[in-house]
Structure formats: C-alpha cells, structure tokens
Amino acid sequence: KQEVTQIPAALSVPEGENLVLNCSFTDSAIYNLQWFRQDPGKGLTSLLLIQSSQREQTSGRLNASLDKSSGRSTLYIAASQPGDSATYLCAFSGGSYIPTFGRGTSLIVHP
Amino acid sequence: DAGVIQSPRHEVTEMGQEVTLRCKPISGHNSLFWYRQTMMRGLELLIYFNNNVPIDDSGMPEDRFSAKMPNASFSTLKIQPSEPRDSAVYFCASSLSSYEQYFGPGTRLTVT
C-alpha cells in the first residue's frame, strides 16, 4: 500500500524565513504529486501540481520539486509571511490515479 | 466557475438516522472523489468515480456507506444508519481525467 509521509509534522518560524516542507512516497510509479493548503475549518486549496515528467513547478513565492529516484517532493516557501500559516498537505497519485494524502505539516509563521 | 459545491455545510443528526451528503462537481470534470477527514486518521479516500462509474470503493468503511453518481453533475454519499464514529468532515473533490483536484468546502457531520 502506498504510504506518504510529511516531515516535519509541525513548524513554527518567524516571519521572513525561507521554509522547506518535505513529502516522501514509497511507490516509484508516480502519475502526479499535488500540494495543497488547508486553513482551519476550511477545505483544501490546490497550490501546485507536478506531473511525473516534470521536475518542479513555481507559483509566486512557492516552488515544488519532484525527485522520483528518491521518492521525495519538497515545497519551498520563500520569505514566509503570517498569512502563510496553515496546514500543507501533499497527495501522491500513482498508476491507479487514486490519490494518497500525507498527514500534513502544520505551519505557524509569527510576526 | 463556482467550484465544487457541497451541501449541507453542517449536519447534526442522531445515531441511527440516515444522512445524505451532496456534491456538484466542476462542470466538465469527469473524476469525482469523496474523502473523510478526522484528527485521528487524517484525510481518507472513500470512493472514486470516473465518468460516473465507481472505480475504487475500497475506502468505504462498511455497508452502511453508499455513494452514487447518477450523472456528471451530481453525486451523493449516504450513511444509513449513522453512528457517532461517523462524525467527521466529508469532502468532495473533482478533476479532469485525474489531473489537478479541486475540493469543495466540506460537510461537517456530527452524529450524537
């Protein structure tokens, strides 16, 4: 069974720091990997999607990379802001196209 | 587009009652997913439809849960009878050919 692990589980940083969130998966047959943000009591908002043929995707201060050989994706957040505080989840989809989610990284950025 | 629409947003019911959750996917999307989220277990996939056909329902907890997708613009998740352990937030998501998923706002279910 596919397993998706996110490290760290929680992170608290001062405003302005550059952050790296990690997502690892066990299945090498990847279709795509998607990063989401979830605010408390809300649904999931899609941030970035990386297809298996891609190495990275960028949107504003966010950059997601994919390393299939090591079974890892990283989400890089530049110059963090208090508004970035949320839980960040990654979802792996393999050959079956069925997504498996990690437990998320809870991020707090304090002023 | 209005995004994925779910109703109701909140549901409080008593144990043993039937609960029906509804979802309208984004127009043009052909894949639909039902998830359940709890603090204990995180986000779990319950069932996945492609072109209105259930492809994988291995995540459905037990026979009390059933899901239908009668057409491309509507799906229901039914729990009968409901139990307190079913209390969770239920999300519906849709995508085009299992590409980028878009989530609805969720239904918070409380079973007393």
Side-chain angles (χ1 to χ4, degrees):
Chain A
K1 182 182 176 183
Q2 174 63 235
E3 291 188 5
V4 178
T5 304
Q6 291 191 245
I7 295 174
L11 191 58
S12 180
V13 300
E15 181 177 6
E17 281 203 6
N18 300 324
L19 308 172
V20 176
L21 308 182
N22 295 293
C23 171
S24 62
F25 46 91
T26 55
D27 190 345
S28 60
I30 182 171
Y31 176 63
N32 65 46
L33 190 134
Q34 192 169 359
W35 283 92
F36 295 86
R37 167 187 174 137
Q38 185 174 29
D39 293 283
K42 304 291 187 182
L44 279 71
T45 300
S46 177
L47 296 174
L48 291 165
L49 174 80
I50 310 177
Q51 292 286 77
S52 62
S53 59
Q54 298 172 321
R55 294 291 299 274
E56 64 178 341
Q57 286 284 342
T58 299
S59 176
R61 294 182 295 108
L62 305 179
N63 175 276
S65 64
L66 176 65
D67 185 341
K68 291 186 289 184
S69 62
S70 65
R72 180 182 296 181
S73 176
T74 59
L75 179 67
Y76 177 83
I77 303 176
S80 58
Q81 304 171 356
D84 295 331
S85 299
T87 296
Y88 291 81
L89 298 100
C90 66
F92 170 97
S93 293
S96 66
Y97 310 121
I98 297 172
T100 301
F101 278 79
R103 295 300 302 270
T105 294
S106 178
L107 173 65
I108 297 175
V109 181
H110 48 87
Chain B
D1 198 314
V4 177
I5 298 173
Q6 292 187 247
S7 64
R9 295 293 308 278
H10 302 272
E11 178 79 34
V12 180
T13 191
E14 293 183 349
M15 182 175 64
Q17 296 297 306
E18 178 179 296
V19 174
T20 299
L21 311 182
R22 297 172 176 79
C23 175
K24 177 178 170 54
I26 292 173
S27 178
H29 283 187
N30 61 351
S31 295
L32 185 138
F33 308 82
W34 281 102
Y35 292 91
R36 177 172 67 177
Q37 186 176 42
T38 60
M39 288 293 292
M40 187 71 68
R41 301 173 68 90
L43 195 64
E44 303 172 281
L45 177 67
L46 300 177
I47 187 167
Y48 156 50
F49 290 89
N50 192 52
N51 293 323
N52 312 338
V53 175
I55 302 301
D56 190 306
D57 64 354
S58 59
M60 296 286 263
E62 47 199 274
D63 291 345
R64 297 185 298 106
F65 285 68
S66 62
K68 294 183 180 180
M69 193 164 186
N71 57 61
S73 59
F74 184 66
S75 177
T76 59
L77 178 67
K78 185 176 294 186
I79 308 173
Q80 166 64 19
S82 58
E83 296 182 4
R85 59 192 170 116
D86 301 330
S87 298
V89 180
Y90 291 81
F91 288 105
C92 174
S94 71
S95 70
L96 178 60
S97 298
S98 303
Y99 192 60
E100 187 171 6
Q101 288 187 79
Y102 293 87
F103 276 69
T107 295
R108 183 172 297 275
L109 173 66
T110 302
V111 183
T112 61

